[in-house]
């Protein structure tokens, strides 16, 4: 039941302090609104801190400075091609139109230190390099910079504040929320507009089993996103009559060093490394789709694979924090040649030697790859030294969620808007279409910063009008 009065009242209330909630807060402040962001964790982390902090965006000033020609229409074409035409056209258009300007806004107005520091042009569906990252290439750095920016902009952030209920009238007008503090006490907060920035539902195994059965029911199921992504915001939106879309879509990752909980930098594979199973055999086109590769690995005996690479590929990632951690922890097995490596990782030596030799013949164009991978752009793997890291496939982030309009306002199934409810990032329907293979790399954070910004802007406009 709606409370008669609230303990406190704010204009724009944001639930969740990941990239979505923080960008919504920044944009609402820029629009002149009073903002409060509530975060259930004592220290905000979210999937944002766990990520590598890459954001894909088209038409930014950083791209222009490097002479990269890109723009909304080209990005939209890439989104539609990657999602096989299934991405919602309104959300895809909003993402394509506003992504470059959102990066410029974050850099110029809020001091977020984006660079164009990774080249993924031509991989996994991006036709040009539009990967924006912070200097350390960590989500932690990006997240920290956004938290500081919100404080500098005069937005309030309260942590240890788990929102448990949303109050609304019969017309769907949200009036406020209830939140629970770590000591079990409860408070109510009234608002004029509510932004749901609670992310997806990867940590809610029941929802995953229901909507993504391929993953949720896999014997070696792994979730590797933030445990706060329990789908609460999506469920509140649905209870208020919102439409959802693409609930079976997800971003998987086909290279998680699971025993260590550390991702393997995929550059080692993209530039010539291979993945073999416990039999020492390749089983997929490793470069077709990094998200779908997660399921390919989970379907192997015991649900794991070994990424095998040489010194040249190792040099590409040696300086990156994840790889440095993997090396320090002993996850990178090294050997002078294929026979010694096979012994170190306990796969049949003959099979591994044959698989490696076949990959070299594919590079030279002597035989085709049975899985359709084009090896011809990379140099053959050396005969030694060789390295291997044991990996599995994991669910990083669900992609289905609440349907929103071009201003991130939540929609009902008939297309009408809920009066004052907004959503972005993982809580909203993404641009991946359905299933596991429509994810464009770095679209997760793009959905967070772009829709977060649009949600904050729209919420401020609504209350100012
Ligand atoms: C290992 C990993 C690497 C990734 N790398 C990338 C990458 O490089 N590029 C990319 O684009 N994407 C990447 N992703 C995906 C990306 O991290 C997410 O798409 C993005 O962070 C989503 O942002 P968000 O703000 O919607 O969610 P989050 O960052 O998860 O924030 C949601 C917040 O809401 C809080 N919350 C939830 N429910 C409540 C509640 N009831 N009350 C109060 N607070 C609540 C949570 O605690 C959380 O802090 C990666 C994901 C993972 C797991």
């Amino acid at each position: 039941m709606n409370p008669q009065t609230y303990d406190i009242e704010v204009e724009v209330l944001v639930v969740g302090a990941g990239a979505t909630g923080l960008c919504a807060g920044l944009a609402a402040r820029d629009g002149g609104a009073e903002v409060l962001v509530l975060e259930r964790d004592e220290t905000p982390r979210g999937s944002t801190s766990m990520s590598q902090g890459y954001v894909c965006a088209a038409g930014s000033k950083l791209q222009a400075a490097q002479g990269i020609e890109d723009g909304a229409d080209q990005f939209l074409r890439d989104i539609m091609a990657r999602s096989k035409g299934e991405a919602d056209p309104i959300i895809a258009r909003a993402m394509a139109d506003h992504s470059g300007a959102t990066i410029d806004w974050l850099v110029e107005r809020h001091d977020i230190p984006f660079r164009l520091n990774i080249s993924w042009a031509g991989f996994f569906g991006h036709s040009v390099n539009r990967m924006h990252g912070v200097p350390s290439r960590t989500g932690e750095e990006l997240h920290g910079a956004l938290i500081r920016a919100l404080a500098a902009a005069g937005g309030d952030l309260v942590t240890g504040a788990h929102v448990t209920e949303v109050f609304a009238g019969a017309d769907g007008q949200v009036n406020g929320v209830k939140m629970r503090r770590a000591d079990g006490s409860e408070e109510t907060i009234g608002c004029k507009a509510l932004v749901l920035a609670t992310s997806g539902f990867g940590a809610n195994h029941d929802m995953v089993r229901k909507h993504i059965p391929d993953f949720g029911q896999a014997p070696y199921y792994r979730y590797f996103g933030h445990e706060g992504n329990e789908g609460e915001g999506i469920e509140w939106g649905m209870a208020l009559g919102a439409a959802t879309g693409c609930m079976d879509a997800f971003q998987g990752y086909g290279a998680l060093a699971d025993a260590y909980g550390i991702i393997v930098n995929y550059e080692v594979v993209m530039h010539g490394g291979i993945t073999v199973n416990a039999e020492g055999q390749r089983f997929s086109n490793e470069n077709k789709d990094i998200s779908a590769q997660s399921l390919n690995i989970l379907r192997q005996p015991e649900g794991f694979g070994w990424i095998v690479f040489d010194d040249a590929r190792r040099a590409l990632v040696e300086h990156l924090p994840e790889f440095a951690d993997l090396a320090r922890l002993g996850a990178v097995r090294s050997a002078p040649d294929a026979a010694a490596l096979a012994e170190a990782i306990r796969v049949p030596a003959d099979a591994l030697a044959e698989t490696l030799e076949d990959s070299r013949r594919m590079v030279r164009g002597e035989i085709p790859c049975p899985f359709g991978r084009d090896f011809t752009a990379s140099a053959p793997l050396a005969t030694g030294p060789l390295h291997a890291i044991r990996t599995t496939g994991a669910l990083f982030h669900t992609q289905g969620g609440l349907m929103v309009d071009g201003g991130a306002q939540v929609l009902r199934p008939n297309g009408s808007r809920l009066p004052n409810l907004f959503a972005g990032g993982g809580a909203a329907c993404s641009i991946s279409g359905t299933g596991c293979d429509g994810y464009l790399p770095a679209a997760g954070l793009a959905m967070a910063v772009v829709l977060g910004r649009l949600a904050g802007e729209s919420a401020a406009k609504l209350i100012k009008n």
Side-chain angles (χ1 to χ4, degrees), residues 271-353:
H271 297 288
I274 59 173
T275 304
V276 301
N277 59 18
E279 310 297 330
Q281 289 166 345
R282 288 181 61 235
F283 50 87
S284 63
N285 174 351
E286 299 90 335
N287 281 353
K288 183 165 180 224
D289 188 314
I290 193 168
S291 175
Q293 179 70 358
S294 57
L295 282 176
N296 293 335
I297 293 192
L298 287 175
R299 288 179 185 132
Q300 298 310 301
E302 297 176 54
F304 75 87
W306 289 95
I307 290 180
V308 179
F309 52 102
D310 60 9
D311 277 353
R313 278 73 181 187
R314 181 176 177 143
L316 299 172
V317 297
E318 191 85 60
H319 59 292
L320 296 176
E322 297 88 355
F323 191 85
D325 284 346
L326 287 167
R328 191 172 44 81
L329 294 168
V332 185
R333 309 289 163 80
S334 300
D337 55 31
L341 186 70
E343 194 179 335
I345 65 176
R346 296 196 192 142
V347 302
D350 291 353
L352 182 63

Side-chain angles (χ1 to χ4, degrees), residues 15-22 38-41 44-56 143 161-164 197-200 223-233 236 251 263 395-397 399 424-427 439-448:
V15 189
T20 309
L22 295 165
L38 298 178
E39 166 57 47
R40 61 184 252 170
D41 288 352
R45 276 189 55 72
S47 287
T48 299
S49 267
M50 298 176 69
S51 76
Q52 294 163 295
Y54 302 139
V55 182
C56 63
H143 205 179
H162 190 156
V163 174
T164 52
T198 47
S199 204
Y223 170 61
F224 192 67
H226 184 249
E227 78 269 13
N229 296 178
E230 293 189 299
E232 288 165 292
W236 297 325
Q251 175 204 358
I263 61 175
L395 172 63
F396 273 16
H397 194 236
Q399 296 288 299
Y439 182 76
L440 265 177
L445 280 171
M447 284 287 298

